[in-house]
Amino acid sequence: QYGSGTVQAVSDFQRRNDLPETGIADRNTMAALFNENAKKALKPYVLKVSVSDQRVYAYAPDRNGEYTDLVRTMKCSTGRKGTPTPTGTFTDTAPGARWHFFKKFNCWAQYAFYIQGDIMFHSVLYSQKGGKVTQSSVNHLGSRASHGCVRLSVEDAKWIWNNCPANTRVEVY
């Protein structure tokens, strides 16, 4: 079906490729769509992690394809001074397991999303899968408390897991 979502997607493609924004897949739009030089769809978000603010900011692309539209701000806990969260730009990212077990620390977290290696976004901690969250991990949101990962509320970790596909750009600064 060619509904409103398709019209918006075609219009966005036309804008990215300097075509008239009609929302109609006309001959010129179809030719551009299958051209190897076409500017393809953008990722839905860029995630920026501020270690100093202890916040994760999710940005969506604006009309010009720049990631300037702030759509969500999330309180987090990044790595402690001795086990800091690595800084830089990461693009080889991917959703992980719904429940992740940390063997070294004998605890669980929900909604793992890999940033780099073993460093990931994940929920606050649980002493057992499906149990209650550990109150100390909730209380420490907003301060450096992890061993390098970016710890979030369950709701925020789930949002990233549900809305950010593989190769979502993550900037940690």
Side-chain angles (χ1 to χ4, degrees):
Q1 287 186 310
Y2 204 90
S4 61
T6 305
V7 170
Q8 185 62 53
V10 170
S11 180
D12 291 346
F13 176 82
Q14 290 168 327
R15 181 176 51 257
R16 283 192 307 278
N17 288 277
D18 299 319
L19 296 167
E21 288 182 54
T22 63
I24 299 169
D26 59 18
R27 181 179 299 245
N28 290 337
T29 300
M30 294 301 288
L33 183 63
F34 292 101
N35 184 307
E36 66 183 41
N37 296 321
K39 294 178 186 171
K40 304 294 182 190
L42 300 170
K43 293 289 180 190
Y45 303 104
V46 165
L47 301 173
K48 296 184 180 186
V49 181
S50 171
V51 173
S52 61
D53 293 341
Q54 292 296 293
R55 298 290 186 272
V56 177
Y57 304 100
Y59 291 91
D62 60 23
R63 289 189 53 80
N64 297 317
E66 302 294 324
Y67 287 89
T68 62
D69 289 342
L70 179 64
V71 296
R72 192 174 182 101
T73 300
M74 300 166 261
K75 185 189 289 188
C76 69
S77 291
T78 61
R80 296 177 181 158
K81 297 280 186 190
T83 55
T85 302
T87 58
T89 300
F90 308 96
T91 55
D92 190 21
T93 62
R98 165 75 165 72
W99 282 96
H100 182 86
F101 181 66
F102 295 94
K103 187 175 182 179
K104 183 176 180 180
F105 306 107
N106 193 31
C107 64
W108 292 85
Q110 293 192 71
Y111 304 109
F113 186 94
Y114 289 91
I115 300 170
Q116 178 191 46
D118 290 338
I119 303 298
M120 62 189 89
F121 292 109
H122 62 73
S123 76
V124 289
L125 304 175
Y126 295 77
S127 56
Q128 58 183 313
K129 183 178 179 179
K132 292 183 179 182
V133 298
T134 60
Q135 195 58 46
S136 64
S137 68
V138 173
N139 294 344
H140 282 97
L141 283 175
S143 61
R144 293 174 182 238
S146 80
H147 291 91
C149 288
V150 180
R151 196 180 297 162
L152 300 156
S153 70
V154 174
E155 178 184 345
D156 288 336
K158 183 178 182 180
W159 186 89
I160 290 174
W161 198 71
N162 283 331
N163 292 287
C164 296
N167 304 313
T168 293
R169 191 170 85 219
V170 175
E171 300 173 11
V172 182
Y173 59 95

